[in-house]
Amino acid sequence: MARTAIATDSNSGITQSQAKELGVFVLPMPFFMRGKIQFEDIDLTQEQFYEILAEDAAVSTSQPSPGDLMDFWENILKEYDEIVHIPMSSGLSSSCENAIMLAREFEGKVYVVDNQRISVTQRQSVEDAMMMRDKGMSGEEIVDVLMREKLESSIYITVDTLKYLKKGGRITPAAAAIGTVLNLKPVLQIQGEKLDAFAKVRGWKAAKKTMLDAIDKDIHSRFAGEKVHLEAAYTCSEEEKDKWIAELQVRFPDYEIRTEKLSLSVACHIGPGAMAVACSKYIEV
């Protein structure tokens, strides 16, 4: 039986130390900060990232160079026969398409999954892949299942400030100015390929209720009769995160809620203070 490695990138929120514990491989994503490239969780911690962000320094996301990605795979293939690589959604970055192209150089040893996820739902895909691998499924079989189930998840996010959406060009300066004055909180949605506007409400209380109602509807309508994972992610303080989890637990008392920090590539575009909730359908094979 072929030895199959499961790989992803740091957009999944899986840290290098967690990767070692899980037995997976995580490609660190690069950032341009203070005029140089730094890599998530290698020479850039969460704390350092937010300190630099608070200084209003120019921060932008990038993608792994072809050489770095190929070196990453080649090192894994020294010990494994094949790789299932799960990058962030192609709708949010061209790094997935580039990975698909580069995988052709490996003559069937690298399978790239464009299952259109990021953060906690991307992490869930990694864990699903591990489960299938451990059941004896081949890389090709794992990819087939992940691609079949790729749209079976939802993420809802609300932000503390419109500043970073404005900097990233997702809203106009005028809209940001008006939204700040009116205390408008956008609720954003990732369902499939892209980050889209879902709702616009006034204040945190309304924003959190909107997310709770949306995920409730997904669980009881879209995924009616299906078993789902319930997940939360955040860039807010630990105190605010704990309050958010408590609200989720009251609304969904029958669920164990996995909680992770949002990856820096997401945080770069939405800033500190954000909260998110997600669900994804269980994969059973």
Side-chain angles (χ1 to χ4, degrees):
M1 184 185 296
R3 294 198 67 211
T4 305
I6 308 301
T8 186
D9 57 43
S10 57
N11 294 297
S12 64
I14 301 174
T15 66
Q16 295 297 321
S17 61
Q18 289 172 339
K20 290 178 182 177
E21 292 175 9
L22 291 169
V24 299
F25 299 87
V26 175
L27 179 69
M29 297 301 288
F31 290 79
F32 283 106
M33 307 183 77
R34 291 175 172 168
K36 63 179 182 180
I37 293 180
Q38 295 182 304
F39 291 89
E40 181 169 2
D41 203 34
I42 299 294
D43 49 19
L44 183 67
T45 66
Q46 287 258 343
E47 292 74 20
Q48 290 168 332
F49 174 83
Y50 287 112
E51 286 172 7
I52 295 171
L53 209 60
E55 296 169 2
D56 215 19
V59 179
S60 61
T61 52
S62 184
Q63 59 179 292
S65 72
D68 284 348
L69 180 56
M70 294 178 81
D71 287 345
F72 175 70
W73 288 338
E74 285 170 357
N75 285 330
I76 296 171
L77 288 170
K78 290 176 182 177
E79 298 183 33
Y80 291 83
D81 301 311
E82 61 182 10
I83 302 168
V84 174
H85 183 75
I86 307 170
M88 71 183 291
S89 169
S90 62
L92 299 170
S93 170
S94 59
S95 59
C96 181
E97 292 177 359
N98 290 339
I100 291 171
M101 179 182 67
L102 291 171
R104 296 174 188 146
E105 301 294 320
F106 288 79
E107 300 177 340
K109 293 182 179 180
V110 178
Y111 299 92
V112 177
V113 185
D114 181 14
N115 73 336
Q116 298 175 347
R117 297 189 182 189
I118 193 169
S119 186
V120 286
T121 56
Q122 182 183 353
R123 180 187 180 120
Q124 187 58 55
S125 292
V126 171
E127 296 187 1
D128 289 337
M130 292 169 56
M131 174 271 294
M132 289 185 277
R133 185 267 315 274
D134 294 345
K135 284 179 178 276
M137 294 174 65
S138 68
E140 187 173 10
E141 289 170 331
I142 292 169
V143 172
D144 285 345
V145 174
L146 291 180
M147 291 299 289
R148 184 189 73 211
E149 302 289 330
K150 67 180 182 178
L151 299 180
E152 303 299 329
S153 69
S154 294
I155 301 178
Y156 299 95
I157 308 170
T158 194
V159 300
D160 184 46
T161 172
L162 301 175
K163 173 181 177 180
Y164 298 94
L165 293 174
K166 181 184 74 173
K167 286 178 72 171
R170 294 193 178 274
I171 61 173
T172 65
I178 293 171
T180 300
V181 170
L182 297 178
N183 192 28
L184 293 180
K185 299 293 182 186
V187 175
L188 310 173
Q189 177 187 42
I190 302 175
Q191 193 176 94
E193 290 190 357
K194 296 182 180 179
L195 179 68
D196 294 314
F198 178 75
K200 193 183 296 180
V201 296
R202 293 188 68 175
W204 266 114
K205 185 176 181 180
K208 289 194 282 187
K209 183 179 184 302
T210 298
M211 290 195 292
L212 288 168
D213 289 346
I215 211 75
D216 190 289
K217 183 177 180 181
D218 279 346
I219 290 172
H220 294 105
S221 296
R222 183 176 171 214
F223 297 122
E226 302 281 358
K227 191 176 179 182
V228 300
H229 302 277
L230 187 60
E231 301 133 336
Y234 65 101
T235 66
C236 59
S237 68
E238 291 295 314
E239 181 182 359
E240 290 300 319
K241 177 265 292 183
D242 289 342
K243 291 178 182 177
W244 175 227
I245 300 307
E247 290 184 54
L248 285 167
Q249 205 69 73
V250 168
R251 185 71 175 262
F252 306 103
D254 297 330
Y255 287 85
E256 179 180 344
I257 303 167
R258 159 172 276 170
T259 309
E260 303 287 348
K261 290 182 178 180
L262 280 164
S263 63
L264 298 186
S265 54
V266 178
C268 184
H269 297 291
I270 62 176
M275 299 177 192
V277 62
C279 67
S280 52
K281 193 176 83 172
Y282 266 77
I283 289 179
E284 297 183 12
V285 292

